[in-house]
Amino acid sequence: MMIHEPLRVTTPGGAYDVLIGPALLDELADQLAAQGVVGRLWLVSDPQVARLYGDRVLAALQRAGRHATLYQVPMGEHSKDLAVAAQLYDWLLAGGIERRDAILALGGGVIGDLAGFVAATVLRGVSLVQLPTNLQAMVDSAIGGKTGINHALGKNLIGAFHQPRLVLADTTTLATLPMRERSAGWAEVVKHGVIRDAGLFAWLERLDGAMLPDEPACSALLRRAVAVKVDVVNLDERETGERMLLNYGHTLGHAIEAEAGYGTLLHGEAVAIGMDLEAQIAERLGCFTAGDVARQRALLRQLGLGTSIPAGMTAAALLDRTLRDKKVQAGRVRWVLPHAIGSAAVHADVPDSLVQAVVAAACDPQSMTEQTRQ
Ligand SMILES: NC(=O)c1ccc[n+]([C@@H]2O[C@H](COP(=O)([O-])OP(=O)(O)OC[C@H]3O[C@@H](n4cnc5c(N)ncnc54)[C@H](O)[C@@H]3O)[C@@H](O)[C@H]2O)c1
C-alpha cells in the first residue's frame, strides 16, 4: 500500500521513482509493469533476507506471470568482492540474460552495491531495481546509483554509477531487523537531519527511544529522510559538490570501521562515532555550538548508538587512514562539517593539528580529563 506520493530522482544518468510504504513488495509486479520493466527478472539476495522475503517476492512475481529466479550470495561485506560478482556473471550469462531483463537487489547495502555493480557491467548494463529491506539501504544506499565492490586496498574502490529503474522500499520488512541493525540504520537518518533538515532531526528526538513509529508515521518519517538524499542526488549525481555533504561522519567513520577490522563495527555504528568527532572538529573551528554537539550526541544515544572510539585505537592510525580516503584531493582531506542542526558545508582547510587534537582526546579521554584538571 503506497500511502505517499513517490519521490522522484532526476539525474543525467536516469530518472526514477522511490516508493516507500507498507506491503509494497506485494505490488512489485504491477510497479515493474508500470515502469516498463518487461523482461526476465534476476533476483539477488542474501540467505537471511531470502529466507524472510525471497519466496514471497518470487511467488508474487510468478503469480503475475513473470519469469523470475533467485540467487543467494553469502551475508556480509565480504560479498562485495570480485569473486562473488564473477559467480553472479556466471549465473546470469549461463541463464541467458538479455539486455531487456532486470536485476532486482533484495536486501541491505551489500546486496544493492554488489547487484548494482553487476547490473552496470553485465552485457554493458541491464536494468536495476532496488528493493531495500533495511533502514540504511532504504534511506541511503538504494538511492543515487552508486554501485561497487571492494578491493584489498580499500572499500568501494571498484564501481560504477548506475541509476536504478525503480526503488521500492516496503516498510513492513523493517519489523524483522535485528535491533543492532536498526540502530545502525538510524545513523544515516540522523546524518540527513544534521546536514539538511532540522525538522527531521527534531522528529527523531521525539521518537520513543530507538523504536520505529507505527504506520503511517513510519513511512512519512522515512520519506522525509529519503527526500534529503533525493534532493542532494538531484543536485549532484556525480559527487562533485552538494553530494559530498552525504559524507558527513564518514571520513572518520570509515577510518574507525577499517581500523576495527571490517565486520567488527556495523557501518552505521562507525558513522555515529565519526559524526560525533566531526561535530567536535566543527565546534573547535567555531562553526558548530557545544550545545548542538551535545544535542546530536544525545540523539545518537537515544537511538542506541555509541559515540566512543573503541579502545586501543590511536589518533595516528585513524588520521593516516583518513588520508587514504577516496575524497582526499591534493593530499588534503575535505571535511564535511555541520554549521547548525540542518546545515553543513565542505571544508578543505581544516588544520591537521586541530583534527589531531580532537581525535587524540577522544582516543584517550583520560588524558583529556588530566589536562583539564591541570
Ligand atoms: N551505494 C551507496 O550509495 C551506499 C551508501 C551507503 C552505504 N553503502 C554500502 O552499504 C553497505 C552496508 O549496507 P548495510 O548496512 O545495509 O549492510 P548489509 O547489506 O550487510 O545488511 C546488514 C544485515 O541486515 C540484514 N537484513 C537486511 N534486511 C533485513 C530485514 N528486513 N530483516 C532482517 N535482516 C535484514 C542482512 O541480511 C544483513 O545481514 C556497505 O558496503 C556500504 O559501503 C552504499
Side-chain angles (χ1 to χ4, degrees):
M1 180 190 29
M2 200 167 41
I3 45 184
H4 303 283
E5 279 291 294
L7 288 159
R8 183 87 180 151
V9 178
T10 311
T11 68
Y16 52 95
D17 285 339
V18 181
L19 313 180
I20 303 151
L24 281 185
L25 282 176
D26 298 332
E27 295 175 21
L28 179 60
D30 291 343
Q31 295 293 348
L32 293 173
Q35 303 302 324
V37 178
V38 291
R40 285 189 296 168
L41 304 169
W42 306 81
L43 191 60
V44 180
S45 195
D46 71 29
Q48 178 151 306
V49 177
R51 180 176 55 77
L52 290 163
Y53 305 107
D55 284 344
R56 182 174 140 205
V57 173
L58 275 183
L61 292 171
Q62 286 160 356
R63 264 199 315 275
R66 302 299 301 257
H67 181 285
T69 45
L70 169 71
Y71 191 93
Q72 297 181 38
V73 301
M75 241 157 62
E77 190 67 29
H78 293 299
S79 276
K80 278 177 59 173
D81 184 87
L82 204 49
V84 181
Q87 291 168 16
L88 287 172
Y89 293 136
D90 291 347
W91 169 59
L92 294 165
L93 295 169
I97 187 169
E98 296 176 8
R99 288 294 300 277
R100 65 187 205 129
D101 294 354
I103 293 178
L104 277 50
L106 178 72
V110 164
I111 295 298
D113 279 12
L114 169 73
F117 175 69
V118 168
T121 45
V122 73
L123 304 181
R124 296 203 182 89
V126 299
S127 291
L128 169 68
V129 174
Q130 291 279 9
L131 305 173
T133 58
N134 70 12
L135 199 47
Q136 184 288 124
M138 285 185 191
V139 302
D140 193 359
S141 58
I143 303 149
K146 275 197 200 174
T147 72
I149 54 175
N150 301 326
H151 184 272
L153 290 179
K155 258 181 77 135
N156 300 326
L157 292 182
I158 300 166
F161 283 93
H162 188 61
Q163 298 292 346
R165 287 282 290 276
L166 173 71
V167 179
L168 182 144
D170 181 340
T171 55
T172 44
T173 60
L174 298 175
T176 53
L177 262 191
M179 223 154 63
R180 191 174 163 202
E181 290 289 344
R182 188 178 58 205
S183 285
W186 280 129
E188 305 289 356
V189 185
V190 172
K191 179 191 78 178
H192 289 184
V194 176
I195 62 171
R196 260 180 101 92
D197 187 346
L200 170 63
F201 190 97
W203 190 343
L204 294 171
E205 290 179 311
R206 293 193 298 274
L207 293 181
D208 178 9
M211 296 279 284
L212 277 158
D214 291 335
E215 291 295 354
C218 180
S219 292
L221 178 67
L222 294 190
R223 189 179 188 281
R224 185 141 178 183
V226 169
V228 171
K229 174 100 191 208
V230 168
D231 283 352
V232 169
V233 168
N234 283 349
L235 288 168
D236 175 24
E237 181 190 24
R238 296 274 165 152
E239 199 172 317
T240 51
E242 198 77 12
R243 190 162 178 177
M244 279 183 57
L245 296 184
L246 295 169
N247 293 322
Y248 174 50
H250 283 60
T251 304
L252 279 162
H254 278 153
I256 291 165
E257 191 180 2
E259 199 59 17
Y262 288 115
T264 310
L265 282 174
L266 297 178
H267 177 69
E269 292 171 335
V271 167
I273 304 168
M275 284 196 285
D276 189 64
L277 291 168
E278 291 172 22
Q280 291 181 57
I281 293 171
E283 182 199 347
R284 292 257 187 136
L285 273 179
C287 56
F288 199 52
T289 67
D292 282 340
V293 174
R295 200 176 152 200
Q296 178 188 271
R297 189 175 296 158
L299 177 57
L300 291 169
R301 290 189 178 161
Q302 173 200 322
L303 297 171
L305 290 157
T307 53
S308 308
I309 294 184
M313 289 191 190
T314 65
L318 292 175
L319 296 181
D320 185 51
R321 285 195 185 268
T322 63
L323 289 171
R324 285 189 255 151
D325 196 276
K326 282 201 297 301
K327 283 100 194 170
V328 167
Q329 239 180 25
R332 289 217 70 85
V333 178
R334 289 175 296 165
W335 294 95
V336 177
L337 300 179
H339 288 189
I341 300 292
S343 137
V346 177
H347 291 245
D349 53 356
V350 180
D352 293 345
S353 56
L354 188 150
V355 175
Q356 158 80 30
V358 168
V359 178
C363 284
D364 186 5
Q366 193 59 35
S367 79
M368 195 58 191
T369 319
E370 300 295 325
Q371 273 176 30
T372 323
R373 270 203 216 109
Q374 282 163 13

